[in-house]
Amino acid sequence: MLVRKTLRPAPGDTRQQRHGAAGPWIPAAARAAFTLMELLVVVAILLVLVGVATPLYMSYLESSKLRVAKADAVRLAQELKNFYVLHNAFPEPVGSWDLLPLDKKPPLDPWGRPYEWSLVEVPQLETNITVPVVWSAGPNGVSGDADDIRSDQ
């Protein structure tokens, strides 16, 4: 909004002097507000920006949930390994979180469902070792399909 600031005309000025090439004299206070059209343009620009930014933000949130679930699964698998080192056995029954010193039991994934775990035999040179694998059912909540997030992948 551009306001032409002019001095108030002197009492002896003629009309032609007051309405010169720059147009009539308008006090700055009379043009101190935005027009409806200016406000509508600003609102339209804001709506376009929100429309572009929202899908980007939502995809960022989803990818961050996947990263948090993977980090939590690895951390919980390490907690199970630490339990094995201290007690020379994994918690019983397999899949239970009761014996681990966790803040929340059962630990929940970013989608609000509990993490699951089991023991898997992994070949190591001439023998097999048992390692815990922790997983989340992922965004769709169905365990055992392609979107599961596992500590061993």
Side-chain angles (χ1 to χ4, degrees):
M1 178 177 66
L2 183 63
V3 176
R4 192 179 116 222
K5 294 187 177 186
T6 61
L7 296 175
R8 184 173 297 273
D13 286 347
T14 64
R15 183 170 170 80
Q16 187 174 9
Q17 288 172 334
R18 282 184 280 147
H19 295 285
W25 176 79
I26 299 173
R31 281 274 298 147
F34 293 107
T35 65
L36 179 60
M37 197 61 173
E38 290 170 332
L39 291 175
L40 287 176
V41 167
V42 169
V43 168
I45 291 171
L46 288 175
L47 287 175
V48 167
L49 290 174
V50 167
V52 169
T54 300
L56 295 173
Y57 179 69
M58 296 309 279
S59 67
Y60 173 76
L61 283 180
E62 191 60 33
S63 67
S64 67
K65 283 182 181 180
L66 294 173
R67 288 192 304 266
V68 166
K70 175 67 175 177
D72 284 349
V74 170
R75 180 185 58 84
L76 291 169
Q78 187 60 45
E79 289 284 340
L80 290 164
K81 291 175 187 175
N82 291 344
F83 185 91
Y84 181 82
V85 168
L86 290 174
H87 302 285
N88 204 25
F90 287 105
E92 292 291 334
V94 172
S96 171
W97 298 104
D98 292 337
L99 297 178
L100 291 177
L102 301 173
D103 295 336
K104 290 190 279 184
K105 295 179 186 178
L108 302 178
D109 66 11
W111 299 277
R113 294 181 293 273
Y115 284 96
E116 302 173 47
W117 70 277
S118 66
L119 298 173
V120 176
E121 293 285 327
V122 177
Q124 292 285 328
L125 298 176
E126 298 176 7
T127 184
N128 289 341
I129 61 169
T130 304
V131 295
V133 176
V134 179
W135 71 91
S136 164
N140 69 356
V142 178
S143 187
D145 62 359
D147 77 338
D148 288 359
I149 296 132
R150 299 173 52 100
S151 63
D152 62 345
Q153 293 177 341

